[in-house]
Amino acid sequence: MGSGERVAGDVAAAGSPGPVRGARSERRARESARGGARSSLLFIPTKPRGGWPRAEPAMAYHQGYGGQGSKHRVRGPMVPPAPDPHQLFDDTSAGFPHSQGTPTSGIDMGFNTLLADPMANVAVAYGSSIASQSKDIVHKEIHRFMSVNRLKYFFAVDTAYVTKKLALLLFPYAHQNWEVRYSRDTPLTPRQDINAPDLYIPTMAFITYILLAGIALGLQQRFSPEVLGMCASTAFVWVVIEVLALLLSLYLVTVQSDLTPFDLLAYSGYKYVGMILAVLGGLLFGSDGYYVALAWTSCALMYFLARSLRMKLHPSLVPDGMGHPRGGGRGQTYVTLGAAACQPLIVYWLTFHLVR
């Protein structure tokens, strides 16, 4: 039975009997049966103004639109979604506008007032100038004591210089000219002048001393990382103390010199060469070899420092009221002899516990 025939039957059953109504309903049923494959009509019986009930189409859809299994449905009134039963509070954020994060007007007015004040502008400019001047002074002092170019100068060495300098440290008595040479008010690099101080030999000698100390302690069954670390830190601290003492002595006696902390560190670090020879003599020949090597290296180191520092330290040339130069030679002598005399004591203190 077709859909049109079912609709026609329902309409005929719902209305009142009559020839006109029956003929009209029968005609509509035939038309519906003829185009049933293309469309479906839903008739709702209504009562016209003349009293006769008739069927009006409420809505006509194509068979593929809105039918059973179709994706399209009649749009009804919007129904709000059911609230989540697990939600504790209602979402009311949609009713409030989102803030844009702009600063408040009071802060802007405060800054504008501060910038508009001429005295505040003067104070800000004065503070900026003081800060820039302080920064320049700090950078100048750092560049003076820790200049990278100055540090490169002390490592400008080659194999020939290292060989000659080691021979000079062990046999300084035959050397005649101890003056450092200059080129256009700039000292020559160590590879060009054997009298120039360097930091390559002290650095390598310090590392060699630490390794040799580890070997000596291991041969005596006394090696441990803590003891080796204590030996390295003690040797480094003694050199730092010696450099600070020399700087303080030069400041107190007001001796004019061109010595820098790097120069003093280089001269103080040359003692590691003598320490290595003293430990080697003790390991190879026992305590007798240790003391013989210690005596030789200590004498050579004292002579080397006395002659080298003497060419670096100059007495003051400012004349007094009588036209004679002021005192300064005594201060130079005291500093030179004091630095040279401390070397054997430091060498012995840092090496005697390694040889037994």
Side-chain angles (χ1 to χ4, degrees):
M1 185 176 183
S3 59
E5 295 178 359
R6 287 197 303 268
V7 173
D10 294 338
V11 172
S16 58
V20 177
R21 177 176 173 275
R24 188 177 299 172
S25 300
E26 186 177 354
R27 186 174 63 252
R28 290 181 181 276
R30 287 195 300 268
E31 292 177 358
S32 299
R34 189 181 299 113
R38 293 174 296 177
S39 62
S40 299
L41 296 178
L42 177 62
F43 298 96
I44 301 177
T46 57
K47 186 176 182 179
R49 186 176 297 179
W52 292 98
R54 60 186 180 86
E56 293 183 358
M59 189 72 70
Y61 292 93
H62 191 271
Q63 186 177 5
Y65 187 92
Q68 185 176 3
S70 175
K71 296 181 180 180
H72 303 282
R73 293 293 184 268
V74 179
R75 293 185 178 181
M78 297 298 295
V79 180
D84 189 0
H86 301 286
Q87 185 176 359
L88 299 179
F89 303 99
D90 296 336
D91 186 9
T92 58
S93 60
F96 298 94
H98 296 284
S99 60
Q100 301 297 327
T102 55
T104 58
S105 60
I107 299 178
D108 293 339
M109 293 178 61
F111 278 111
N112 294 333
T113 304
L114 179 62
L115 295 177
D117 190 1
M119 296 301 295
N121 293 333
V122 172
V124 171
Y126 183 70
S128 300
S129 63
I130 292 178
S132 61
Q133 292 177 3
S134 302
K135 183 179 179 181
D136 294 339
I137 293 174
V138 171
H139 286 177
K140 183 178 179 180
E141 293 298 326
I142 293 177
H143 182 75
R144 175 185 174 187
F145 292 100
M146 298 296 294
S147 176
V148 177
N149 295 330
R150 183 63 177 171
L151 190 60
K152 289 180 180 179
Y153 164 82
F154 291 94
F155 286 92
V157 299
D158 54 7
T159 306
Y161 167 80
V162 173
T163 304
K164 294 179 180 180
K165 196 58 173 280
L166 290 176
L168 180 61
L169 290 173
L170 298 178
F171 306 97
Y173 309 106
H175 192 65
Q176 298 297 328
N177 186 13
W178 294 87
E179 185 178 359
V180 178
R181 293 181 296 175
Y182 287 79
S183 175
R184 297 180 181 179
D185 297 335
T186 303
L188 296 179
T189 58
R191 68 165 61 98
Q192 298 172 342
D193 185 12
I194 193 175
N195 295 323
D198 71 284
L199 289 174
Y200 176 80
I201 293 178
T203 303
M204 295 296 104
F206 177 78
I207 297 174
T208 306
Y209 163 73
I210 299 303
L211 297 177
L212 188 60
I215 294 174
L217 294 174
L219 293 176
Q220 301 171 17
Q221 304 297 326
R222 295 188 296 122
F223 176 82
S224 65
E226 292 80 8
V227 175
L228 189 62
M230 183 64 66
C231 181
S233 60
T234 304
F236 180 76
V237 168
W238 271 107
V239 172
V240 173
I241 293 175
E242 183 180 356
V243 171
L244 295 178
L246 287 174
L247 289 175
L248 181 60
S249 301
L250 293 176
Y251 176 77
L252 293 178
V253 300
T254 63
V255 175
Q256 292 183 354
S257 66
D258 56 353
L259 286 173
T260 62
F262 288 142
D263 295 325
L264 298 177
L265 184 61
Y267 287 123
S268 301
Y270 286 136
K271 69 169 61 66
Y272 293 123
V273 178
M275 293 165 59
I276 292 172
L277 292 179
V279 175
L280 282 177
L283 292 178
L284 296 177
F285 306 103
S287 60
D288 295 336
Y290 167 74
Y291 285 109
V292 170
L294 178 63
W296 178 267
T297 56
S298 298
C299 293
L301 186 60
M302 286 192 297
Y303 186 83
F304 172 82
L305 282 182
R307 297 301 299 269
S308 298
L309 292 179
R310 182 181 177 184
M311 303 305 300
K312 284 286 186 178
L313 300 178
H314 302 282
S316 178
L317 300 179
V318 180
D320 57 6
M322 301 299 295
H324 301 287
R326 296 180 183 270
R330 290 185 178 180
Q332 172 193 359
T333 304
Y334 293 154
V335 173
T336 303
L337 294 179
C342 291
Q343 302 305 312
L345 300 177
I346 299 176
V347 172
Y348 175 76
W349 178 258
L350 295 176
T351 56
F352 81 96
H353 64 281
L354 299 176
V355 179
R356 287 184 179 180

